């Protein structure tokens, strides 16, 4: 590559893969209609709906109001089921219009809009309640759901910071009338520019290296670092390493609603600096992203949980992934560029960009791939991470989950498995805060934290007769906090579970496992996960240091999902 070399490069996105529809026809007025509330169970929706029902009931005395409890939580562990059943339930209850809420975070706002899109497509008009700071995200995700002009009620301010009086005043002075307009006035098509897409092989930029990078940065196709120009020849070199045809439709992605093909996987792999031989791994990653079990639609959440790729199988050594010193440090091309590929892929194909569909408050750069040290595990007689997920020994496997953060457990001292587990358990506790809503409350039983330990720690445990299952059992027994502290994290400090309910009350509601309801003592110790099996163990890193790292689970918002790698 020379300074004056010219490149002809292609677009990294995907063609629309969703059915386009128009919003439902609006009634002339609300009196005499059946008005349903549909809720994501967050951000004071119960209070907001009560005020709206009171004030709308005064204006429309013949209207009937239906509780959100009839329809289920649109952001809980069963959100896919709840949304699939929504059209039938709206018909069953003869719903005329829907008030959908409440969007005040990066995961709940898309959830509100998803519910509204389903209702509108079923012929039921909606008004989507969204705090003003998330109105842009609401509009960014709408086209990917099939309708770029879903009506949104922008609520001034941020409802969590408003007093009861301020909340009521905001609803009476603004939100009530905005809801009526959304439900009775035909929405205006604001999608004047249409969908942003290009043919897969169309040349979108011609220039030298610096010029191509400027263009891709200006268009939002770059992550800000220099990209490798994705020429047709470079993309075709990647495609020679997969049995898939270039146009194979792998699936569709939210929030963009774009199609995933082997072609756009290869384009983003080129841009990330991957070797063409990595292509089978990249395809497997894309197959996870389109899997509903993973839940990519939640990836714009404000807390910024980011995906971590864990790799197993002979492909680790075949492609040169680092499993030793600095296993998650930049410097190994395979680990670094495959991690970068995923971020570029999410930006360009899924449409997750800061300021639009991605509302992460802080976020982080691409995570380096974590590849297991399988040679050491073989020596110890331990199963691998992939084995414990139920895959046959020697399977080439990609596993991805989203993690909210990580904490290092450094310089683990001693040779007693109990002492080692106690220190690692402390790391689990330190990485458990609002994330506990994935243990009890919002999505019970979906919290799956990852504990990565160095080979030295694994050898010390094995020498003392321990193994991964024994370590899990110890961690489950030791990683515990007072029930009152657990309740504060999910219902007082974060208000992620409305009503500030105790664990006993959550258990009664079916939102906490039996182990959380063994007594009513607020000082009793409760686990940070539901079962020992919920704690994941991986072995990698410097073989000469006794360290660990704990990753906090983002639950169903990027749930643990695996995919076998199909080699060419």
């Amino acid at each position: 590559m020379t300074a004056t070399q010219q490149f002809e490069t292609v677009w990294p996105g995907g063609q629309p893969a969703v059915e386009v529809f128009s919003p439902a026809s609006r009634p002339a007025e609300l009196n005499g209609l059946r008005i349903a509330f549909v809720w994501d169970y967050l951000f004071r929706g119960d209070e907001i709906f009560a005020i709206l029902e009171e004030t709308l009931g005064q204006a429309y005395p013949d209207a009937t109001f239906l509780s959100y409890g009839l329809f289920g939580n649109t952001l809980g562990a069963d959100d896919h089921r709840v949304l699939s059943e929504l059209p039938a339930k709206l018909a069953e209850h003869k719903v005329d219009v829907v008030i959908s809420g409440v969007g005040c975070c990066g995961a709940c706002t898309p959830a509100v809009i998803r519910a509204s899109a389903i209702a509108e497509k079923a012929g039921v008009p909606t008004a989507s309640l969204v705090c003003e700071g998330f109105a842009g995200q609401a509009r960014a995700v709408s086209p990917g759901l099939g309708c770029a002009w879903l009506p949104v009620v922008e609520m001034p301010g941020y409802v969590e910071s408003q007093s009861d009086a301020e909340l009521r005043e905001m609803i009476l002075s603004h939100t009530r009338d905005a809801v009526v307009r959304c439900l009775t006035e035909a929405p205006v098509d604001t999608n004047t520019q249409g969908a942003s897409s290009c043919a897969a092989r169309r040349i979108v930029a011609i220039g030298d290296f610096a010029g191509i990078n400027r263009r891709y940065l200006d268009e939002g196709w770059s992550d800000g670092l220099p990209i490798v120009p994705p020429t047709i020849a470079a993309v075709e070199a990647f495609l020679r390493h997969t049995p898939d045809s270039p146009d194979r439709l792998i699936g569709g992605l939210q929030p963009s609603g774009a199609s995933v093909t082997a072609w756009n996987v290869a384009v983003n792999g080129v841009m990330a600096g991957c070797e063409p031989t990595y292509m089978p791994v990249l395809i497997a990653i894309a197959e996870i992203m389109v899997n509903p079990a993973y839940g990519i639609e939640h990836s714009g959440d404000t807390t910024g949980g980011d995906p971590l790729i864990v790799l197993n199988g002979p492909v680790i050594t075949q492609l040169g992934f680092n499993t030793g010193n600095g296993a998650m440090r930049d410097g190994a091309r395979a680990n670094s560029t495959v991690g970068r590929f995923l971020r570029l892929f999410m930006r360009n194909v899924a449409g997750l960009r800061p300021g639009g569909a991605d509302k992460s408050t802080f976020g982080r750069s691409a995570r380096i791939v974590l590849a297991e040290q399988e040679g050491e595990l073989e020596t110890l007689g331990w199963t691998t991470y992939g084995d414990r997920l139920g895959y046959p020994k020697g399977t080439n496997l990609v596993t991805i989950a989203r993690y909210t953060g990580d904490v290092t457990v450094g310089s683990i001292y001693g040779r007693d498995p109990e002492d080692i587990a106690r220190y690692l358990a402390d790391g689990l506790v330190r990485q458990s805060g609002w994330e506990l809503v994935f243990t009890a409350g919002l999505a019970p039983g979906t919290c799956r934290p990852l504990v990565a330990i160095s080979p030295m720690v694994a050898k010390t445990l094995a020498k003392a007769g321990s193994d991964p299952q024994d370590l899990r059992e110890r961690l489950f027994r030791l990683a515990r906090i007072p029930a009152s502290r657990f309740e504060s994290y999910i219902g007082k400090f974060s208000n992620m579970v409305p009503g500030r309910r105790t664990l006993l009350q959550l258990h009664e509601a079916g939102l906490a496992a039996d182990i959380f309801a063994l007594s009513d003592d607020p000082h009793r110790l409760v686990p940070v996960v539901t079962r020992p099996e919920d704690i994941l163990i991986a072995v990698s890193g410097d073989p000469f240091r006794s360290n660990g790292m704990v990753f906090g689970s983002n639950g169903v918002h990027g749930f643990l999902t695996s995919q076998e790698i199909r080699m060419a």
Side-chain angles (χ1 to χ4, degrees):
M1 183 183 299
T2 66
T4 58
Q5 183 178 356
Q6 295 291 295
F7 302 93
E8 295 183 348
T9 60
V10 295
W11 183 60
Q15 299 297 315
V18 295
E19 177 188 350
V20 177
F21 65 93
S22 297
S25 298
R26 267 48 192 172
E29 66 164 341
L30 301 181
N31 208 29
L33 300 188
R34 293 172 67 80
I35 303 171
F37 295 106
V38 176
W39 192 23
D40 59 3
Y41 283 51
L42 290 171
F43 298 103
R44 305 177 73 178
D46 46 354
E47 300 171 61
I48 293 169
F49 292 158
I51 298 171
L52 283 173
E53 181 172 343
E54 173 195 337
T55 183
L56 290 174
Q58 294 168 354
Y60 306 102
D62 293 329
T64 300
F65 296 90
L66 304 176
S67 170
Y68 53 83
L70 296 172
F71 306 102
N73 184 353
T74 60
L75 188 59
D78 297 324
D79 57 346
H80 288 285
R81 178 187 58 78
V82 168
L83 292 176
S84 68
E85 294 175 354
L86 184 58
K89 287 191 174 182
L90 293 176
E92 175 190 351
H93 296 288
K94 300 179 180 178
V95 173
D96 294 302
V97 296
V98 163
I99 300 174
S100 177
V102 174
C104 290
C105 76
C108 61
T109 300
V112 169
I113 301 302
R114 285 194 296 274
S116 293
I118 288 171
E120 294 274 359
K121 194 172 183 180
V124 181
T126 65
S128 299
L129 307 183
V130 177
C131 288
E132 61 180 333
F134 295 88
Q137 185 190 32
R139 296 189 176 94
V141 304
S142 293
L145 296 167
C147 183
W149 32 307
L150 292 170
V152 172
V153 176
E154 295 186 38
M155 297 187 297
Y158 182 66
V159 298
E160 289 289 84
S161 64
Q162 294 171 340
S163 68
D164 291 348
E166 290 170 335
L167 181 70
R168 184 177 183 85
E169 171 59 23
M170 182 269 290
I171 293 171
L172 295 180
S173 64
H174 169 271
T175 302
R176 172 191 56 192
D177 294 340
V179 165
V180 173
R181 287 194 297 272
C182 279
L183 295 177
T184 59
E185 297 178 6
V188 177
D189 185 354
T190 57
N191 191 36
T192 56
Q193 296 180 343
S196 175
S197 65
C198 301
R201 291 167 179 77
R202 177 184 168 190
I203 301 301
V204 296
I206 301 175
D208 61 13
F209 183 81
I212 293 295
N213 271 279
R214 278 195 300 272
R215 172 69 188 281
Y216 278 61
L217 184 62
D218 291 345
E219 294 286 351
W221 301 334
S222 166
D223 55 8
L225 297 174
I227 56 111
V228 176
T231 63
I232 289 178
V235 173
E236 289 177 340
F238 275 63
L239 292 168
R240 286 194 285 272
H241 291 273
T242 175
D244 294 340
S245 67
D247 299 322
R248 177 208 165 196
L249 180 60
I250 298 172
L253 283 183
Q254 292 297 330
S256 68
S259 58
V260 179
T261 63
W263 177 270
N264 56 38
V265 169
V267 173
N268 285 279
V270 172
M271 291 170 60
C274 295
E275 289 274 12
T277 52
Y278 305 165
M279 186 63 175
V281 178
L282 307 187
I283 290 287
I285 290 170
E287 289 171 336
I288 289 175
M289 291 297 105
V290 304
N291 188 337
Y294 177 74
I296 192 173
E297 65 269 19
H298 303 296
S299 296
D301 63 349
T302 52
T303 45
D306 286 295
L308 173 66
I309 301 165
V310 179
L311 201 59
N312 284 105
V315 70
I316 293 173
T317 54
Q318 291 170 5
L319 298 182
F321 283 87
N322 179 27
T323 64
N325 174 236
M328 296 191 68
R329 179 82 77 197
D330 48 22
R333 182 174 182 178
N335 302 63
S336 297
T337 60
V338 171
R340 185 189 184 194
F341 156 79
L342 179 50
R343 288 302 318 174
L344 284 170
F345 178 81
M346 292 174 67
R347 164 182 286 269
N348 291 324
V349 186
L352 288 157
R353 299 180 184 179
D358 182 358
K359 287 293 290 182
S360 173
T361 303
F362 298 108
R364 64 175 68 231
S365 57
R367 289 186 183 271
I368 304 297
V369 172
L370 177 63
E372 268 216 299
Q373 176 47 266
E374 294 195 351
E376 189 63 56
L377 293 170
E378 180 74 23
T379 300
L380 297 177
W382 277 22
T383 55
T384 69
Y385 179 90
D387 296 338
R388 293 189 295 278
L389 292 176
Y391 289 86
K393 187 177 181 62
T395 299
N396 286 320
L397 189 71
V398 168
T399 303
I400 304 178
R402 290 182 69 221
Y403 296 103
T404 56
D406 52 70
V407 60
T408 297
V409 182
S411 298
I412 299 171
Y413 177 76
R415 295 174 294 278
D416 185 343
E418 188 75 357
D419 289 340
I420 293 171
R422 185 172 286 110
Y423 194 2
L424 291 170
D426 178 72
L428 274 169
V429 168
R430 283 185 282 146
Q431 194 51 57
S432 299
W434 72 268
E435 297 92 341
L436 292 170
V437 296
F438 300 116
T439 298
L442 179 66
T446 63
C447 187
R448 302 292 300 276
L450 170 64
V451 178
I453 58 175
S454 66
M456 178 177 282
V457 175
K459 285 191 286 188
T460 303
L461 290 168
K463 189 175 181 179
S466 183
D467 62 16
Q469 184 55 35
D470 174 69
L471 179 57
R472 277 175 159 174
E473 297 283 352
R474 293 177 189 271
L475 292 173
F476 180 71
R477 175 167 47 81
L478 295 169
R480 303 199 173 198
I481 60 176
S484 59
R485 181 177 167 190
F486 191 118
E487 292 159 358
S488 292
Y489 279 134
I490 68 172
K492 179 180 180 182
F493 302 151
S494 68
N495 195 30
M496 294 291 287
V497 180
R500 297 187 177 181
R501 286 170 285 178
T502 66
L503 285 170
L504 283 179
Q505 290 170 328
L506 291 173
H507 177 261
E508 291 171 1
L511 298 175
D514 292 346
I515 195 168
F516 297 98
L518 299 181
S519 84
D520 59 0
D521 180 2
H523 304 294
R524 72 189 186 281
L525 296 180
V526 295
V528 297
V529 295
T530 301
R531 309 170 304 156
E533 292 73 25
D534 292 337
I535 302 171
L536 306 168
I537 308 292
V539 178
S540 190
D542 192 334
F544 301 106
R545 284 299 286 132
S546 55
N547 296 319
M549 181 172 282
V550 176
F551 299 84
S553 173
N554 209 29
V556 290
H557 297 163
F559 191 67
L560 177 82
T561 309
S562 298
Q563 181 66 44
E564 292 188 39
I565 301 168
R566 295 176 293 109
M567 305 302 288

